[in-house]
């Protein structure tokens, strides 16, 4: 069973992706207990690598036996309750943070534009039109209008106006904490956790304008470097096949990112494009031990390949 379970991965890198660890339908103590059992199993069956060690090994092709990289997207605040568990099992983790969400938790002048773009992207209130120096922007009227509003702001980044526009749309209601703040991320980094970028506003980069694409990637890199330290790794928001393209990849490379992760289910090797590293995503719901194990072992990879071959056979 064990050799069959790992037959797929052999000497390739298995990168798993978590988003959440706690679920409304179950008590926290059960979620924590499950994570400990998952960590114990991973520790027993894999060679866990840090982000730097994993990317170095991919580059040189010198991967250890059953190499594993654990990644967590979105830097949700609940991470602070599970980071110790990974550390206890000596499993390094890499977190990909959406910098606009982190900036919202710890607002300052340096992140004003990132916060504004993030608020525009995630505005869910009634339709509103706001006058700016370069024309009016409309929020709450759909994705197209929102994209136009962000582009107009990015085309004319006058600091004196940004504050007023942000005040006009930011919700004044207190909201539950979602993302880690900069100091929380810096604390995680000091404890050995790797921190990479995940865009400014969690937008689909492949569908973004060139101006927005450049901003999302360059500002992610700038803010990360300024708040928690330089990183050359990125994870695409959403990460499926329609969320990256030749232009997103070339922009990442131009802005200094050397590695980028997807949610496309597969294992990685020396031959994998370093700006398109596949990951095995864990679903955002409680999982049985058996489901976790077969997912990590690559059940989703087989499923995806079967679906692809069925599709190509159907077209012949
Ligand atoms: Zn995400």
């Amino acid at each position: 069973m064990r050799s069959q379970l790992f037959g797929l991965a052999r000497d390739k890198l298995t990168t798993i992706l978590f988003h959440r660890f706690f679920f409304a339908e179950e008590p926290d103590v059960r979620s924590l207990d499950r994570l400990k059992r998952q960590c114990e199993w991973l520790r027993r069956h894999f060679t866990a690598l840090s982000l730097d060690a994993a990317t170095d090994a991919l580059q040189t092709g010198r991967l250890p036996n059953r190499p594993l990289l654990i990644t967590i997207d979105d830097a949700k605040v609940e991470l602070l309750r599970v980071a110790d568990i990974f550390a206890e099992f000596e499993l390094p983790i890499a977190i990909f943070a959406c910098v606009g969400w982190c900036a919202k938790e710890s607002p300052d002048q340096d992140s004003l534009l990132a916060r504004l773009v993030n608020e525009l992207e995630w505005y869910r209130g009634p339709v509103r039109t706001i006058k700016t120096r370069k024309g009016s922007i409309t929020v709450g009227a759909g994705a197209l209008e929102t994209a136009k509003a962000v582009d107009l702001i990015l085309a004319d980044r006058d600091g004196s106006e940004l504050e007023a526009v942000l005040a006009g749309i930011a919700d004044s209601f207190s909201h539950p904490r979602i993302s880690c703040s900069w100091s929380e991320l810096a604390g995680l980094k000091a404890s050995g956790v790797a921190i990479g970028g995940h865009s400014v506003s969690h937008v689909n980069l492949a569908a973004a304008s060139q101006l927005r694409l450049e901003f999302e990637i360059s500002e992610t890199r700038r803010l990360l470097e300024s708040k928690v330290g330089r990183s050359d790794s990125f994870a695409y928001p959403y990460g499926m096949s329609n969320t990256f393209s030749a232009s997103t990849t070339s922009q990442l490379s131009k802005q200094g990112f050397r590695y980028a992760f997807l949610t496309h289910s597969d294992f990685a090797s020396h031959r994998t494009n370093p700006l398109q590293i596949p990951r095995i995503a864990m679903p955002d719901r409680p999982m049985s031990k058996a489901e976790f194990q077969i997912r990590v072992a690559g059940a989703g990879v087989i499923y995806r390949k079967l679906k692809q071959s069925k599709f190509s056979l159907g077209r012949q």
Side-chain angles (χ1 to χ4, degrees):
M1 172 66 185
R2 247 174 80 172
S3 59
Q4 280 174 337
L5 194 63
F6 294 105
L8 271 174
R10 294 191 194 95
D11 53 354
K12 291 184 175 175
L13 177 68
T14 297
T15 305
I16 59 174
L17 162 63
F18 288 102
H19 284 96
R20 291 177 51 199
F21 299 94
F22 300 97
F23 308 100
E25 60 269 42
E26 70 172 7
D28 288 359
V29 63
R30 190 177 297 171
S31 311
L32 290 167
D33 188 49
R34 183 180 46 248
L35 178 62
K36 284 179 191 167
R37 281 184 277 115
Q38 290 172 344
C39 284
E40 189 186 11
W41 183 80
L42 291 172
R43 179 78 201 153
R44 196 149 19 101
H45 293 287
F46 287 90
T47 307
L49 302 174
S50 67
L51 178 62
D52 281 350
T55 49
D56 284 353
L58 277 181
Q59 225 177 18
T60 59
R62 286 198 288 272
L63 284 156
N65 189 33
R66 290 178 190 159
L68 172 76
L69 173 62
I70 300 170
T71 66
I72 303 166
D73 281 4
D74 302 341
K76 290 197 162 58
V77 73
E78 66 181 56
L79 252 177
L80 301 172
R81 297 168 60 201
V82 300
D84 281 355
I85 296 177
F86 288 103
E88 195 184 307
F89 287 92
E90 296 175 11
L91 293 169
I93 53 175
I95 294 167
F96 291 97
C98 179
V99 299
W101 293 352
C102 299
K104 185 181 170 108
E105 301 294 348
S106 29
D108 63 12
Q109 200 58 28
D110 186 36
S111 63
L112 179 59
L113 186 57
R115 285 184 289 128
L116 176 54
V117 169
N118 184 53
E119 290 296 336
L120 288 167
E121 181 63 31
W122 291 97
Y123 178 84
R124 295 294 180 266
V127 176
R128 295 197 51 192
T129 298
I130 300 163
K131 284 196 180 4
T132 77
R133 240 173 22 170
K134 290 283 168 123
S136 295
I137 59 170
T138 304
V139 291
L144 204 64
E145 283 297 327
T146 298
K148 273 164 62 182
V150 173
D151 277 0
L152 191 133
I153 295 291
L154 291 178
D156 180 28
R157 308 177 187 189
D158 182 348
S160 64
E161 194 172 63
L162 301 181
E163 199 93 64
V165 179
L166 180 59
I169 57 160
D171 67 62
S172 52
F173 309 107
S174 62
H175 60 89
R177 294 274 324 269
I178 294 172
S179 170
C180 289
S181 65
W182 295 128
S183 61
E184 287 163 346
L185 276 187
L188 287 167
K189 187 167 184 186
S191 73
V193 172
I195 313 284
H198 193 43
S199 82
V200 172
S201 66
H202 211 281
V203 69
N204 175 355
L205 294 174
S209 68
Q210 186 63 25
L211 183 65
R212 178 78 177 271
L213 173 63
E214 283 178 27
F215 171 75
E216 292 277 341
I217 295 174
S218 63
E219 189 67 352
T220 298
R221 193 162 166 84
R222 187 190 74 80
L223 277 174
L224 271 187
E225 184 164 358
S226 141
K227 308 296 186 188
V228 292
R230 195 184 181 96
S231 171
D232 54 10
S233 291
F234 188 90
Y236 276 96
Y238 311 106
M240 290 85 75
S241 55
N242 61 342
T243 61
F244 67 96
S245 64
S247 68
T248 60
T249 305
S250 90
Q251 192 57 229
L252 281 168
S253 179
K254 194 173 154 195
Q255 301 293 346
F257 284 107
R258 296 170 63 205
Y259 305 99
F261 292 83
L262 305 171
T263 53
H264 162 98
S265 254
D266 211 341
F267 307 105
S269 72
H270 186 47
R271 290 193 298 275
T272 303
N273 180 341
L275 288 164
Q276 294 176 12
I277 303 173
R279 292 185 291 179
I280 294 174
M282 297 296 124
D284 285 336
R285 56 168 169 75
M287 259 182 300
S288 71
K289 187 176 169 189
E291 183 184 351
F292 177 72
Q293 294 178 3
I294 61 167
R295 280 184 179 276
V296 174
V301 178
I302 305 176
Y303 179 69
R304 186 182 58 77
K305 288 185 175 170
L306 278 174
K307 242 172 71 176
Q308 271 176 349
S309 63
K310 200 174 152 197
F311 181 66
S312 55
L313 281 172
R315 291 205 312 183
Q316 277 173 3

